[in-house]
Structures are given as C-alpha cells and as structure tokens.
Amino acid sequence: MDSILVRGNGELRGQIPIAGAKNACLTLMPATLLSDEPLTLTNAPRLSDIRTMTQLLQSLGAEVASLQGGQVLALSSHAISNHTADYDIVRKMRASILVLGPMLARDGHAVVSLPGGCAIGARPVDLHLKALEAMGAELDLRDGYIHAKAPSGGLRGARIVFPIVSVGATENALMAATLAKGTTVLENAAREPEIVDLARCLRRMGAQIEGEGTSILTIEGVDRLGGATHPVVTDRIELGTYMLAPAICGGEVELLGGRIELVGAFCEKLDAAGISVSETERGLKVSRRNGRVTAVDVTTEPFPGFPTDLQAQMMALLCTAEGTSVLEEKIFENRFMHAPELIRMGARIDVHGGTATVTGVDRLRGAPVMATDLRASVSLILAGLAAEGETVVSRVYHLDRGYERVEEKLRACGAQIERISG
Ligand code: UD1
C-alpha cells in the first residue's frame, strides 16, 4: 500500500489546474444506460473511482473507452446485456447504486447489490428506493441485493417529496424519471452543481427537465433518449481543497478553472478566517491576508451551504488558527475520523457527537498518520504541508479515489511531497 511523505517547508506559489468533478462524472457515466446511442464525456477526471464505475458499466454490457489519457470517456450502451450489478464491484464504491434508476427505467428490471463506500456513517439507500417505489417499482431486498421491477407499462411519473436532501437519491430519481410515463416532480431535491450538470447532460440527450439548481425538479418523461457530448463540471471539492493549500502554508496559488459560484459558502468562511480569494481570467487566486489565520465556526449543509466534503480539510486549516473554532457536521455521522490523526500532529481537538471544537496551536508537528477516508486523507496532507518535520500518510488508496496527481499538483507550487510505493 502506497504512502505519501510530506515535509512542511513554507509558502506555496504557482498554479494548479482543477479537474472535472468526480461526483458529477460518477452520475453522468450511468446515464449512458438510458440510451442506445453514444454518450461522450469530456473533462473527465482520472481517478480510481472512475475506473470502478467503468468496470461496473462494462459488466452490464456497456462499452466504455477511455481516450486522451482518460480525459474523454466514450460510452455506449446498445443493449444492457446483464442487469445485475455485482457485490464485488458495488462494495468498492457507493455511487454504484446510480445504475439502478437508469436500468429500471430503460428495461424495467435491475438487480443491484447494496453498496459499500467510505466508512463515514451508516449511509442508507432508503431514499433512492422510496423514490423508485413511488414511480411504481416493486422492490425486494434479499441476499444483500435490491431486486427491482417496473410495472408492465414501465415506470410512472410521480410527485416525490424527499424528507431530507440527498444528492444520490435525487440523481437516481432524476435519471429514472426521464423515461417514465408522465410528469415527475422531485421536491426538496438536491441543488448541488453536480445535479445541475446531470440535468444539463440529460437535456442534451433529449430529456425534458426544468428547475435544476432549485429544490423542485420537474421532469416530463420521454419515450427515448439519444446521444450527447457533455463536458464534466469543475470539481468544486478539489478546488476547495487546493484553495486551502496557500491558506495553510502561506504564499499565493491560482486555481485554474475555479469559479466562485461553485464554492460560495466556503469562500465566505475563508474570508472570515483571513484568506483572500480573487477572480482571475483563468480561475481563482488565493492568499493569506495577514500572518495567522483567525478561527471560524463551520456547519456543513447541503449546497449552497458549506460542503461536508470540505470539512476535514477546513479543520486542518483551523488547527493552526488564532482562537477556537466549532465545526458541526450535519450531513454524516462519524465524519471526524481525521481528528485523532490531526491530534497526533499536535492539534487540539475535542469531538462530541457531531461537533468538533478546535483550539488553534502555533504549529503542527509531522507524524506518521493514517488515512481513513477520501477527504480525511487529503486533510492530513494539507496539515503535513504546514507542519514542522515529516508527515507520512499511509493507506492513501483512499486519496487515489478522488484526487488525480496530487503530488504533482502540489510539487508544482513548491511543496515537498512524494509517494512511497509499497
Ligand atoms: C454525495 C457525494 C458525497 C457527499 C454527499 C453529500 C457522490 C458520489 N458522493 O454522496 O461525496 O459527501 O453527496 O454532499 O456524489 N441518506 C439517507 N438515505 C438515503 C440516502 C442518503 O438517509 O437513501 C442520508 C445520508 O446518510 C446522509 C444524507 O442523506 O446523511 C445525505 O447523503 P447523500 O446526499 O445521499 O450523499 P451521497 O449521494 O451518498
């Protein structure tokens, strides 16, 4: 298992290109199952999660070609030859559940293993299932698999009110609704940029969708969808993560392709902490306004609120802030697994349930630490960049699920970071 070695060595200066969004790509790829015509995705990120989704779609009979070094994905699904998403693939990645809605909508039946994924809480899929049931699907959970069947005339449009905002359930229901008979209205739908991106891609394929980016999505079902070429939206989580690098280390970094509207709530918190963010022709420029960062309180929320996927990285910043910050995690329980590792590096953090209180220290110290999930692993790298001495982050396979060429991107700005194979 590879590790990452980081040496804290001062300011970072340079440019970092931001890739297409992992979470958008993972929902755009299954959209191929809705049509027998080709779907081409450009600006795709090169990540292990994308390779896992590729394997899953191929196991269902789709063709997936990775072109231009992985930045273009040419997908085609003339026919779904196998309707079972196997446990062996699904357990690696929770987003695998996103093949359920499309298969059910196109062919009227699907069998999908219950998912695994990051160890950040229970993360059920009940909302996905309830939405599909409301559209007429019959579901049977047995042997760890969801066995789903549409009524004889296919899925029917329905009014679905989500009790809590769920990105994945909104995506599954949205894709299924594009081919359902009649109108579907999704209320309390997720508003994340990845949902907007999915809606735009589906519209390019011929779907009739209104309201993306708001909490009410209205979908008029059509008989069939066609092909499309679609660029994947910029990864706002990768963007936010690298914005924190100069915030933590000092210096100035330009994030190529970054846009404020993707990270609005996050930028407000950075501003309050004393970090300046300005728009440039090519993206966003980030630097620290004064010497030390100021403590800020953060509560995670669905978009447009502060994203849970940036909470761990923000905590790394606040570990050396002046004063005490309170971080409240409202989306996932058990999402402070980076806290004990940061404490090993000298951070002062108290966790009580979904609240972490961080009292800033002057300097973190390098230590051997362990990555526990995708965002936790990158938070430890950020902390290591600001720490005195060497930090070795082990179990970085989590990192490779969501960050492409992380060492290369940070090294280009002067960071001392290298991968140790083994
Ligand atoms: C997606 C993102 C993930 C991000 C999360 C929240 C992808 C591939 N992953 O995950 O990186 O952290 O959004 O922004 O896009 N819930 C239920 N029942 C369900 C579904 C969800 O109770 O059927 C709960 C979850 O446990 C969680 C909350 O709803 O507490 C939000 O989860 P959700 O938005 O569905 O997250 P994902 O789509 O899994």
Side-chain angles (χ1 to χ4, degrees):
M1 267 189 278
D2 289 2
S3 318
I4 299 253
L5 169 69
V6 193
R7 285 189 195 90
N9 72 324
E11 297 189 343
L12 299 181
R13 289 187 187 276
Q15 296 178 324
I16 298 182
I18 304 301
K22 168 182 87 78
N23 286 351
C25 204
L26 288 176
T27 184
L28 292 164
M29 292 173 76
T32 188
L33 298 171
L34 290 163
S35 167
D36 58 5
E37 290 184 36
L39 172 65
T40 304
L41 300 175
T42 60
N43 195 37
R46 290 161 286 185
L47 301 168
S48 66
D49 268 9
I50 301 300
R51 290 190 287 278
T52 304
M53 183 57 86
T54 298
Q55 275 174 16
L56 174 58
L57 292 171
Q58 286 170 337
S59 78
L60 304 175
E63 287 165 31
V64 185
S66 174
L67 310 172
Q68 295 182 27
Q71 276 183 308
V72 174
L73 297 171
L75 304 112
S76 161
S77 176
H78 300 298
I80 303 173
S81 55
N82 163 36
H83 291 79
T84 301
D86 212 68
Y87 174 65
D88 273 349
I89 302 182
V90 176
R91 72 185 164 83
K92 291 188 199 159
M93 189 180 66
R94 193 183 146 74
S96 308
I97 187 77
L98 296 171
V99 300
L100 177 60
M103 279 203 284
L104 194 57
R106 176 154 158 206
D107 285 348
H109 61 108
V111 180
V112 176
S113 167
L114 286 160
C118 276
I120 50 172
R123 304 186 80 177
V125 291
D126 56 316
L127 301 175
H128 299 242
L129 304 185
K130 279 188 188 131
L132 296 171
E133 263 175 343
M135 298 167 85
E138 274 179 34
L139 303 173
D140 185 13
L141 266 58
R142 58 188 140 87
D143 315 324
Y145 281 80
I146 304 156
H147 297 254
K149 255 201 184 127
S152 54
L155 292 177
R156 296 183 299 262
R159 175 172 173 252
I160 297 159
V161 184
F162 291 108
I164 56 169
V165 177
S166 161
V167 174
T170 302
E171 291 167 344
N172 234 335
L174 171 58
M175 286 192 278
T178 59
L179 292 179
K181 305 261 170 311
T183 310
T184 299
V185 180
L186 305 178
E187 294 184 28
N188 200 23
R191 292 186 274 168
E192 269 67 3
E194 293 76 24
I195 305 273
V196 174
D197 205 38
L198 174 63
R200 287 187 181 152
C201 176
L202 292 169
R203 200 181 288 126
R204 284 191 160 114
M205 294 167 72
Q208 293 193 17
I209 301 167
E210 274 176 29
E212 72 269 22
T214 75
S215 52
I216 301 183
L217 284 166
T218 307
I219 306 110
E220 205 63 57
V222 295
D223 288 340
R224 62 180 300 278
L225 293 179
T229 297
H230 179 82
V232 180
V233 68
T234 300
D235 195 319
R236 64 198 167 95
I237 305 302
E238 191 195 26
L239 172 62
T241 300
Y242 288 124
M243 286 170 78
L244 283 167
I248 289 183
C249 298
E252 184 175 87
V253 173
E254 188 178 15
L255 296 314
L256 306 178
R259 300 199 314 269
I260 292 272
E261 70 266 23
L262 295 173
V263 280
F266 173 69
C267 285
E268 281 170 27
K269 292 297 174 187
L270 286 188
D271 185 53
I275 309 300
S276 116
V277 179
S278 57
E279 292 183 279
T280 66
E281 264 178 31
R282 303 175 63 192
L284 298 177
K285 200 173 258 186
V286 179
S287 61
R288 231 195 254 171
R289 271 200 297 274
N290 307 310
R292 201 165 157 192
V293 168
T294 315
V296 286
D297 295 342
V298 172
T299 302
T300 62
E301 287 169 357
F303 193 85
F306 191 100
T308 174
D309 286 352
L310 284 174
Q311 178 259 110
Q313 302 90 311
M314 189 72 182
M315 186 185 283
L317 173 75
L318 296 174
C319 283
T320 54
E322 180 114 50
T324 298
S325 311
V326 178
L327 286 93
E328 267 191 89
E329 175 54 59
K330 296 270 197 188
I331 308 291
F332 294 115
E333 76 269 31
N334 201 18
R335 207 179 191 180
F336 286 132
M337 286 178 300
H338 40 285
E341 302 299 312
L342 290 168
I343 290 169
R344 289 174 53 73
M345 299 176 71
R348 285 180 58 198
I349 306 169
D350 280 319
V351 175
H352 288 288
T355 303
T357 307
V358 182
T359 305
V361 295
D362 284 345
R363 193 87 206 257
L364 295 175
R365 291 182 310 273
V369 288
M370 200 184 287
T372 47
D373 71 50
L374 167 56
R375 308 303 171 185
S377 39
V378 83
S379 78
L380 298 173
I381 290 178
L382 288 173
L385 289 174
E388 208 172 290
E390 278 187 8
T391 298
V392 178
V393 185
S394 55
R395 296 205 182 165
V396 292
Y397 55 86
H398 290 293
L399 187 77
D400 298 329
R401 293 184 52 195
Y403 290 91
E404 64 169 48
R405 301 181 293 119
V406 66
E407 313 94 283
E408 219 178 287
K409 289 187 180 187
L410 287 168
R411 247 195 326 255
C413 297
Q416 284 195 22
I417 174 168
E418 61 191 270
R419 183 174 290 252
I420 308 166
S421 303

